[in-house]
């Protein structure tokens, strides 16, 4: 049950909140523009078969990146939770 809640929260935060925050980042937007320019230059030189292969590669890379993003975000949340619990334990011992 706890894992299900964690997955739901993580999915919401990565899909909604994190995507919005990333989209507002100026360096990210500049890199995205550079990526689109490079893709356009490549796209005009490839055959249809090569374009399909490049698109398949892009989809696979996107899946990998999405999983890395999710795992990284979840680990960050776990680390933050562990830090908070550790600080709480320290505070509890001080007040005893």
């Amino acid at each position: 049950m706890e894992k299900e809640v964690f997955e739901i929260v993580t999915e919401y935060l990565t899909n909604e909140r994190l995507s919005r925050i990333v989209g507002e980042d100026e360096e990210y937007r500049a890199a995205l523009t550079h990526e689109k320019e490079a893709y356009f230059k490549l796209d005009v030189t490839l055959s249809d078969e090569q374009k399909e292969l490049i698109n398949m590669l892009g989809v696979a890379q996107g899946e990998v990146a999405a999983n890395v993003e999710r795992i990284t975000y979840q680990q960050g949340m776990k680390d933050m939770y562990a830090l908070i619990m550790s600080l709480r334990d320290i505070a509890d011992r001080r007040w005893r």
Side-chain angles (χ1 to χ4, degrees):
M1 172 78 167
E2 181 179 317
K3 185 172 180 159
E4 288 177 15
V5 171
F6 188 71
E7 292 289 332
I8 291 168
V9 169
T10 301
E11 183 177 342
Y12 168 75
L13 292 174
T14 55
N15 288 341
E16 302 295 327
R17 188 167 181 264
L18 190 58
S19 295
R20 180 181 46 79
I21 292 167
V22 167
E24 293 172 356
D25 184 85
E26 193 168 316
E27 287 182 49
Y28 168 79
R29 289 195 321 259
L32 188 59
T33 298
H34 184 250
E35 177 189 43
K36 287 177 182 179
E37 290 168 354
Y39 180 83
F40 177 73
K41 288 177 184 177
L42 181 65
D43 187 56
V44 297
T45 64
L46 298 176
S47 69
D48 288 342
E49 183 180 356
Q50 291 169 324
K51 287 178 186 180
E52 181 62 29
L53 291 171
I54 291 290
N55 285 334
M56 289 170 55
L57 174 62
V59 168
Q61 289 174 325
E63 291 172 352
V64 169
N67 280 293
V68 168
E69 180 180 288
R70 177 186 52 79
I71 292 165
T72 302
Y73 198 88
Q74 285 178 344
Q75 187 59 49
M77 290 178 66
K78 290 174 185 176
D79 292 345
M80 181 60 69
Y81 179 78
L83 174 64
I84 291 169
M85 292 298 104
S86 176
L87 294 173
R88 186 189 73 172
D89 291 345
I90 291 169
D92 287 347
R93 279 182 271 166
R94 274 188 133 177
W95 295 105
R96 286 186 196 166

